[in-house]
């Protein structure tokens, strides 16, 4: 049996991707470190189970490489970039040029040519937002220093890839000034075609295709590979085209399920294959030799750390940021993963007619060490200083009123309740009735029958009869609460679309749904009805797992990491549901680095918000110091009847899935849960 067989190679890769990252994450190490190490062990310098020269490995690695840069383009938040465009460009220029100059100096110091030295500088110029989930959890994403750093990513990544394109072209030999001008003009025109053309074509296709997610998914993949092939046609490395394609379809996808599917496929399959291939290319003797003659590696690491700090320091002086904002900007711009690794591999594989590589093994190995150091140190420093950033001003600290849902003057408060499971139907109706009763509104029980080609199909007739039976039971339950009820049976091709369309037609203020397994509530899951409703609904969606009647709830827990609008909505939802029957405990978990002054500000703003509400004074604030936020929430939830969480979307960082605190909490909770999702904001 040959291990060069494509099926065997693919099976080994899947086994590695499935088993290794979770093990390393339990050891508090990035999963990509495990993939690199697995590549080294399974590669030609150790067990020889995987051969980097096989067509299978080359294909999967190439796809992973372009996918990695495509996801890097998708993850750049263009809305945040537009908010602080000038300052993002300013800091982006600093955190690009200063490391670039430092890298060139290092290259010249170690006798590299000018072209290779400039390329080394470009490798240090970009950055990957590995620590984004940390600032997101802390609620400081809206801090200007954080927003500026996030926005600077578009400048640093684009600049680094453009430098790579020029350096690779020059290294190919026979490169004159005229050819350089031709390349730059062609690259400019190509970028314009991709950024403008793909954006317009994508928006038009998505408008015409409606809810056909499979075709939209294929369109995005086609855009990715067309851009990659087009880059090669004009003589530019394909990862440049992939990154531009990510930027081009960024606005098209927004936060849609299609985007999450695209990222999901990359993060669980193709991008891990790229990291495994990186490990296969590591020559153990050469790597050890590189570390034994540590001068170059140390110089690159020190140059990166020092230059990124210097750039952040200049931004602090220029924009008058404080010390904690300076250190947070530095730590966010420190990790070198996505663009750095992809560009380093491309440079290593770029060979001129004389057989010389653009960069050698010593530089590639140094870049891998740089990735390991910065991917660990960056998030650690962010976790240390980001909690000290000032919290954004609460939306409710002014004189405006705040409500969970937007009510129209000419429509009563309406709760749509999709019903299907008879075991959870009663509790759903009871919760909806309690909310509607408090607001003086109505509930709309909704039962959906899947459409058939023939409307007289016996299966459809049976399904409609079941719908009618469930609706009669729902009306009986709601009438016991004295709440007006408008039952609806609907025939539709998809359950999620039926729910979203019916709630829109009924001018719903809220949708209350049920689910069985909280671990399934993940934005990355394919075909999730709840995910689709979250995405398409015009109003808030409360997804519930109720183990007892809401009438019996006496204590409700609401974790509050920050004072964002979604957090305040969860608090208001819990207080309305509690009424005069139950108490609400607002739990704020902080780590040991949070200053007492910041905690006082947080409690003051939250207390002011609670005092302004006309709801019963049944809410209290509990503050807990614990570095394990999810563990603390799960522990506190054991003493309460219900936990109300806000929906938190998944992101990927460096192409690998990053879990959120909310997900870990959902997995650990065993009691009743409400996950409150916001409508999409346009």
């Amino acid at each position: 049996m040959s291990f060069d067989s494509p099926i065997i190679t693919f099976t080994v890769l899947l086994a590695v991707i499935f088993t290794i990252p979770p093990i390393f994450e339990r050891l508090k190490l990035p999963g990509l470190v495990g993939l690199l190490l697995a590549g080294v062990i399974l590669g030609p310098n150790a067990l020889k189970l995987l051969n980097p020269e096989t067509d299978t490995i080359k294909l999967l690695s190439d796809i992973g490489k372009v996918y990695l840069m495509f996801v890097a383009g998708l993850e750049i938040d263009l809305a945040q970039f537009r908010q602080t465009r000038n300052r993002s460009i300013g800091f982006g220029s600093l955190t690009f040029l200063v490391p670039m100059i430092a890298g060139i100096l290092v290259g010249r110091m170690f006798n590299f040519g000018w072209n290779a030295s400039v390329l080394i500088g470009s490798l240090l110029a970009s950055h990957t937002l590995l620590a984004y989930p940390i600032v997101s959890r802390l609620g400081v994403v809206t801090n200007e220093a954080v927003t500026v750093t996030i926005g600077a990513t578009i400048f640093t990544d684009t600049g680094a890839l453009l430098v790579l394109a020029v350096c690779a072209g020059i290294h190919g030999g026979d490169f004159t000034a005229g050819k350089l001008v031709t390349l730059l003009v062609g690259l400019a025109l190509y970028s314009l075609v991709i950024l403008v053309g793909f954006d317009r074509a994508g928006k038009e296709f998505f408008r015409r295709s409606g809810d056909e997610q499979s075709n939209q998914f294929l369109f995005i993949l086609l855009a990715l590979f067309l851009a990659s092939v087009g880059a090669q046609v004009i003589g530019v490395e394909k990862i440049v085209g992939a990154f531009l394609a990510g930027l081009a379809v960024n606005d098209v996808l927004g936060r849609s399920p299609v985007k999450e599917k695209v990222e999901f496929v990359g993060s669980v399959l193709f991008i891990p294959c790229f990291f495994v291939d990186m490990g296969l290319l590591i020559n153990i003797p050469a790597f050890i030799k590189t570390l034994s003659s540590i001068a170059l590696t140390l110089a690159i690491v020190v140059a990166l750390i020092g230059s990124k700090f210097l750039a952040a320091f200049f931004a602090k002086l220029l924009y008058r940021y404080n010390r904690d904002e300076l250190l947070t900007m530095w730590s966010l711009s420190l990790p070198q993963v996505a663009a750095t690794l992809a560009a380093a591999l491309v440079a290593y594989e770029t060979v001129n007619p004389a057989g010389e590589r653009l960069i050698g093994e010593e530089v590639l190995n140094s870049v891998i060490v740089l990735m390991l150091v910065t991917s660990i140190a960056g998030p650690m420093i962010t976790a240390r200083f980001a909690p000290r950033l000032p919290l954004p001003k609460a939306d409710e600290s002014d004189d405006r009123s705040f409500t969970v849902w937007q009510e129209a003057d000419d429509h009563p408060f309406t709760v749509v309740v999709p019903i299907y499971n008879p075991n959870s139907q009663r509790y759903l109706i009871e919760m909806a009735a309690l909310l509607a009763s408090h607001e003086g509104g109505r509930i709309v029980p909704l039962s959906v029958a899947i459409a058939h080609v023939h409307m007289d199909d016996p299966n459809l007739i049976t399904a409609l009869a079941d719908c009618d039976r469930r609706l009669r039971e729902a009306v009986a339950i709601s009438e016991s609460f004295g709440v007006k009820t408008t039952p609806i049976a609907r025939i539709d091709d998809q359950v999620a679309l039926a729910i979203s369309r019916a709630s829109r037609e009924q001018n719903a203020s809220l949708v209350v749904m049920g689910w069985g397994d909280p671990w399934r509530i993940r934005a990355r899951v394919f075909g999730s009805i709840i995910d689709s409703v979250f995405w398409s609904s015009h109003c808030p969606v409360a997804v519930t797992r109720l183990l007892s009647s809401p009438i019996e709830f006496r204590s409700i827990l609401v974790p509050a990491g920050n004072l964002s609008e979604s957090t305040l909505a969860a608090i208001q939802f819990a207080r309305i549901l509690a009424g005069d029957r139950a108490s609400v405990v607002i739990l704020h978990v902080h780590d040991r680095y949070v200053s007492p002054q910041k905690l006082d500000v947080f409690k003051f703003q939250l207390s002011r918000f609670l005092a302004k509400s006309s709801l019963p004074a049944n809410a209290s604030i509990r503050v807990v110091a614990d570095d394990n936020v999810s563990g603390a929430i799960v522990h506190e939830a054991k003493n309460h009847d219900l936990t109300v969480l806000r929906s938190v979307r998944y992101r990927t960082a460096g192409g690998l899935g990053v879990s959120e605190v909310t997900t870990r909490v959902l997995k650990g909770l065993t009691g009743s849960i409400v996950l409150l999702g916001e409508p999409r904001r346009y």
Side-chain angles (χ1 to χ4, degrees):
M1 183 174 61
S2 172
F3 279 96
D4 287 342
S5 166
I7 295 297
I8 295 177
T9 298
F10 190 64
T11 303
V12 173
L13 284 173
L14 288 181
V16 168
I17 296 168
F18 178 73
T19 57
I20 299 301
I23 294 174
F24 274 72
E25 287 167 4
R26 285 183 177 273
L27 298 175
K28 306 299 182 182
L29 293 172
L32 59 88
V33 175
L35 294 173
L36 285 170
L37 184 59
V40 173
I41 295 173
L42 298 175
N45 296 296
L47 298 180
K48 299 182 180 180
L49 295 180
L50 294 176
N51 183 359
E53 298 302 320
T54 61
D55 291 339
T56 304
I57 294 290
K58 288 182 178 179
L59 173 63
L60 292 175
S61 177
D62 278 350
I63 294 176
K65 186 165 54 181
V66 298
Y67 222 116
L68 178 65
M69 295 313 303
F70 181 66
V71 170
L74 282 182
E75 288 185 343
I76 293 177
D77 195 324
L78 296 179
Q80 288 185 331
F81 173 75
R82 296 184 186 107
Q83 290 175 6
T84 55
R85 180 184 309 165
N86 294 335
R87 292 196 171 190
S88 289
I89 293 175
F91 178 62
S93 301
L94 288 171
T95 198
F96 177 84
L97 292 175
V98 177
M100 179 88 172
I101 294 171
I104 293 174
L105 293 177
V106 169
R108 298 299 295 164
M109 187 186 306
F110 285 87
N111 299 318
F112 287 97
W114 278 105
N115 193 38
S117 298
V118 171
L119 190 279
I120 292 173
S122 73
L123 295 179
L124 306 187
S126 63
H127 62 263
T128 303
L129 294 171
L130 276 184
Y132 181 90
I134 297 175
V135 294
S136 176
R137 172 175 60 83
L138 294 171
V140 295
V141 174
T142 54
N143 180 281
E144 184 182 285
V146 175
T147 304
V148 164
T149 307
I150 295 171
T153 309
I154 188 174
F155 189 91
T156 59
D157 284 2
T158 304
L161 292 176
L162 293 180
V163 172
L164 169 67
V166 174
C167 290
I170 293 175
H171 186 71
D174 190 26
F175 204 79
T176 63
K179 289 185 178 180
L180 176 60
V181 172
T182 302
L183 175 64
L184 292 177
V185 172
L187 186 58
L189 293 176
Y190 170 75
S191 301
L192 185 64
V193 170
I194 295 296
L195 293 175
V196 177
F198 279 29
D199 178 66
R200 292 182 177 177
K203 289 178 178 177
E204 179 65 18
F205 179 80
F206 271 54
R207 184 184 66 82
R208 291 177 178 272
S209 60
D211 300 309
E212 298 175 6
Q213 293 185 19
S214 58
N215 285 338
Q216 293 171 354
F217 177 81
L218 291 175
F219 175 87
I220 296 301
L221 288 187
L222 180 60
L224 162 61
F225 290 104
L226 277 178
S228 300
V229 171
Q232 290 181 299
V233 169
I234 67 168
V236 177
E237 175 53 40
K238 51 184 171 289
I239 63 173
V240 178
F243 180 74
L244 292 175
L247 290 178
V249 301
N250 199 312
D251 275 341
V252 177
L253 288 175
R255 293 174 59 193
S256 70
V258 177
K259 176 183 178 179
E260 291 151 0
K261 290 178 173 65
V262 170
E263 292 184 338
F264 177 78
V265 170
S267 64
V268 302
L269 180 59
F270 295 122
I271 295 174
C273 287
F274 165 75
F275 285 109
V276 174
D277 182 54
M278 286 285 294
L280 295 176
L281 296 176
I282 297 176
N283 186 316
I284 297 178
F287 193 79
I288 294 174
K289 183 179 179 181
T290 299
L291 296 182
S292 62
S293 56
I294 200 170
L296 176 61
T297 302
L298 187 62
I300 288 178
V301 173
V302 171
L304 182 279
I305 294 175
S307 60
K308 288 293 185 181
F309 180 84
L310 198 59
F313 180 74
F314 288 153
K316 171 185 180 296
L317 298 180
L318 187 61
Y319 303 133
R320 298 183 180 180
Y321 294 140
N322 60 36
R323 172 177 170 272
D324 294 324
E325 289 172 326
L326 155 68
L327 294 173
T328 301
M329 294 178 73
W330 172 51
S331 63
L332 284 172
S333 61
L334 202 57
Q336 304 292 302
V337 181
T340 304
L341 281 181
L345 183 59
V346 168
Y348 177 75
E349 294 174 339
T350 300
V351 182
N352 64 11
E356 298 172 338
R357 297 183 183 274
L358 180 50
I359 60 172
E361 283 187 344
E362 70 278 11
V363 177
L364 179 64
N365 292 336
S366 297
V367 168
I368 292 174
V369 174
L370 176 70
M371 181 273 294
L372 296 177
V373 172
T374 58
S375 65
I376 295 173
M380 288 179 60
I381 299 172
T382 302
R384 176 72 171 81
F385 292 102
R388 299 181 177 183
L389 296 179
L391 288 170
K393 185 179 180 182
D395 295 335
E396 293 64 41
S397 58
D398 55 23
D399 294 330
R400 293 176 298 161
S401 61
F402 175 82
T403 58
V404 181
W405 32 73
Q406 300 297 323
E407 298 183 57
D409 295 334
D410 55 342
H411 296 288
F413 176 83
T414 301
V415 184
V416 170
V417 190
I419 53 176
Y420 176 77
N421 186 351
N423 295 325
S424 61
Q425 175 175 324
R426 170 171 286 277
Y427 294 161
L428 287 177
I429 296 296
E430 288 180 355
M431 172 173 283
L434 290 174
L435 296 169
S437 177
H438 181 277
E439 299 294 310
R442 63 177 182 138
I443 66 173
V444 179
L446 172 66
S447 190
V448 180
I450 300 299
H452 291 257
V453 175
H454 302 289
M455 290 295 103
D456 59 350
D457 189 298
N459 292 324
L460 178 58
I461 295 173
T462 301
L464 289 173
D466 292 338
C467 290
D468 186 60
R469 175 180 51 79
R470 288 192 293 266
L471 291 174
R472 287 198 304 270
E473 294 173 357
V475 170
I477 296 170
S478 59
E479 285 180 349
S480 64
F481 287 84
V483 177
K484 182 181 177 181
T485 308
T486 309
I488 294 178
R490 188 182 185 99
I491 302 174
D492 212 312
D493 294 321
Q494 298 182 36
V495 174
L497 290 179
I499 295 171
S500 300
R501 290 166 177 169
S503 60
R504 175 72 273 185
E505 292 165 0
Q506 296 295 319
N507 291 295
S509 310
L510 177 70
V511 176
V512 175
M513 301 175 62
W515 93 93
D517 182 1
W519 188 236
R520 293 175 60 86
I521 306 305
R522 300 174 61 178
R524 301 192 307 174
V525 172
F526 281 88
S528 168
I529 293 177
I530 293 169
D531 180 67
S532 298
V533 175
F534 266 166
W535 162 248
S536 59
S537 179
H538 73 287
C539 63
V541 180
V543 185
T544 69
R545 184 188 67 183
L546 303 177
L547 304 184
S548 61
S549 171
I551 303 173
E552 300 173 359
F553 293 157
R554 293 297 176 263
S555 180
I556 301 177
L557 180 70
V558 186
N562 53 62
L563 295 180
S564 64
E565 183 175 327
S566 59
T567 300
L568 297 176
I571 295 172
Q572 285 288 69
F573 177 91
R575 297 184 73 192
I576 292 171
L577 181 63
D580 296 321
R581 303 176 311 280
S583 61
V584 176
V585 177
I586 302 167
L587 176 66
H588 177 64
V589 183
H590 65 88
D591 60 37
R592 63 184 182 276
Y593 299 119
V594 175
S595 65
Q597 294 80 8
K598 184 176 180 181
L599 285 177
D600 290 340
V601 171
F602 177 87
K603 289 188 285 188
F604 172 77
Q605 291 182 335
L606 182 54
S607 298
R608 184 174 180 180
F609 166 71
L610 296 175
K612 286 182 61 180
S613 174
S614 59
L615 296 171
N618 58 351
S620 60
I621 303 172
R622 175 168 169 73
V623 178
V624 175
D626 197 322
D627 289 336
N628 184 1
V629 177
S630 58
I633 294 173
V634 171
H635 176 74
E636 292 289 331
K638 295 177 181 178
N639 302 318
H640 301 272
D641 300 315
L642 175 70
T643 303
V644 178
L645 302 169
R646 61 187 180 92
S647 171
V648 178
R649 289 278 180 175
Y650 269 69
R651 292 180 64 86
T652 61
L656 296 178
V658 178
S659 61
E660 297 280 1
V661 170
T662 299
T663 303
R664 295 194 293 270
V665 172
L666 284 173
K667 188 176 181 180
L669 291 177
T670 57
S672 297
I673 307 169
V674 170
L675 183 64
L676 191 63
E678 299 177 341
R680 182 186 180 191
R681 305 293 185 187
Y682 284 91

